[in-house]
Amino acid sequence: MADTSSIIENNLYDPISYDVVSVSAEYIKKRTTYRPEIGIICGSGLDPYIGGLAELVNKADIFPYEEIPNFPVSTVPGHVGRLLLGNLENVPVVIMQGRFHSYEGYELWKTAMPVRVMKLLGVKKIIVTNAGGGLNKAFQVGDIMVMKDHINLPGFSCQHPLRGPNDERFGPRFFPTNDLYCHEYRKLARKVGIELRLEGVIREGVYIMLGGPNYETVAELKMLREMGVDSVGMSTIPETIVAHHCGIKVFACSLITNMCIVEYGSGIETNHEEVMEVGHRRAEDLKKFVTKMVEKMSSI
Ligand code: HPA
């Protein structure tokens, strides 16, 4: 084995290099016959244990994260963490049940590493969901906001999942993001919304990721609104950037679980229980929406 100490000292070691990620992907490939085409990352509302998407997957092969070599492991007590491979509406998918957040203490590269594993499993398209606070005044709690763009706020201070050496086998060092969120999928989402009679619920907008874990101050929200932000959350962007970098087509949406409180002394406070409750309430619609998107995305 080569001496890697100088590489590590010089901070040139790439913890999500092709070689490292291949070990995880090979482990999975040897233990399942499914070859997923679409990857799905579940945010609040699609969590399997509250009647989510996973139960629609027939005869799934299930891999707890701690079983997969080189895969990040959840340190949060009681947190679900497993990859599920199977067919959803006859489309082979891989579903990530439980994602990694920066506020839990994970480096950004770790929060996005599973996307590279998906890539090496053969994934070509990804659906990423999250819970978000609504900042657009026209939004309502329970809306599903299709992401047309994002503001990668952590990136403004050099916090980036691809910071460090670049492995060209995944993608180039420098890459554009002006069309990160696939136009065709967004168009499709509007059609699916109509088909499912969710026209008024499906919105489109710009998402921003902040580190959390606190919800935003009034001053922060006023600034974000000025910046053109429609939904605020604490995840997703590392995963969608890494997916785009390695050529996976991206569809993402935010379930608006609360409206951001952009005034002082209102007596209303954003709280986690509200966020989870709306997730539960909208779980059925979100499940139908994502399932239909999977079905349609597989043919374009
Ligand atoms: N802000 C940040 N993250 C969130 C929110 C919010 O209001 N709601 C759900 N996730």
Side-chain angles (χ1 to χ4, degrees), residues 131-134 214-216 232-234 255 257-260 270 275:
N214 62 283
Y215 296 111
E216 302 69 35
V232 187
M234 304 175 193
L255 174 65
T257 51
N258 57 285
M259 290 307 288
C260 297
T270 303
V275 169

Side-chain angles (χ1 to χ4, degrees), residues 265-284:
S266 67
I268 313 165
E269 287 179 338
T270 303
N271 63 79
H272 184 62
E273 288 65 39
E274 178 192 12
V275 169
M276 295 309 289
E277 205 273 318
V278 174
H280 290 212
R281 218 170 345 117
R282 268 275 177 231
E284 277 307 303

Side-chain angles (χ1 to χ4, degrees), residues 93-221:
V93 295
V94 49
I95 300 183
M96 217 182 138
Q97 297 183 317
R99 61 142 60 93
F100 303 98
H101 298 92
S102 168
Y103 61 75
E104 292 170 53
Y106 298 104
E107 308 273 1
L108 290 182
W109 64 261
K110 261 195 189 181
T111 69
M113 182 270 193
V115 173
R116 285 195 163 178
V117 175
M118 288 183 179
K119 171 74 182 177
L120 298 192
L121 291 175
V123 163
K124 307 263 182 304
K125 306 159 186 182
I126 196 167
I127 298 177
V128 189
T129 69
N130 62 52
L135 199 48
N136 184 322
K137 289 178 187 164
F139 287 2
Q140 286 183 351
V141 169
D143 283 351
I144 298 170
M145 187 198 83
V146 171
M147 284 168 61
K148 74 168 177 214
D149 205 348
H150 73 221
I151 297 176
N152 178 24
L153 198 65
F156 286 21
S157 58
C158 306
Q159 296 236 43
H160 197 285
L162 298 176
R163 179 170 176 266
N166 183 59
D167 193 323
E168 293 279 331
R169 286 171 287 184
F170 283 112
R173 168 80 294 181
F174 302 105
F175 59 103
T177 54
N178 47 307
D179 277 322
L180 198 158
Y181 299 94
C182 176
H183 182 72
E184 273 177 295
Y185 295 165
R186 289 194 280 124
K187 218 165 83 184
L188 198 61
R190 284 194 283 275
K191 269 202 212 151
V192 167
I194 293 167
E195 266 179 49
L196 296 177
R197 317 205 71 139
L198 291 171
E199 302 92 314
V201 173
I202 306 295
R203 313 285 197 143
E204 207 175 52
V206 175
Y207 174 82
I208 195 164
M209 176 192 167
L210 277 71
N214 62 283
Y215 296 111
E216 302 69 35
T217 66
V218 171
E220 285 164 349
L221 291 169

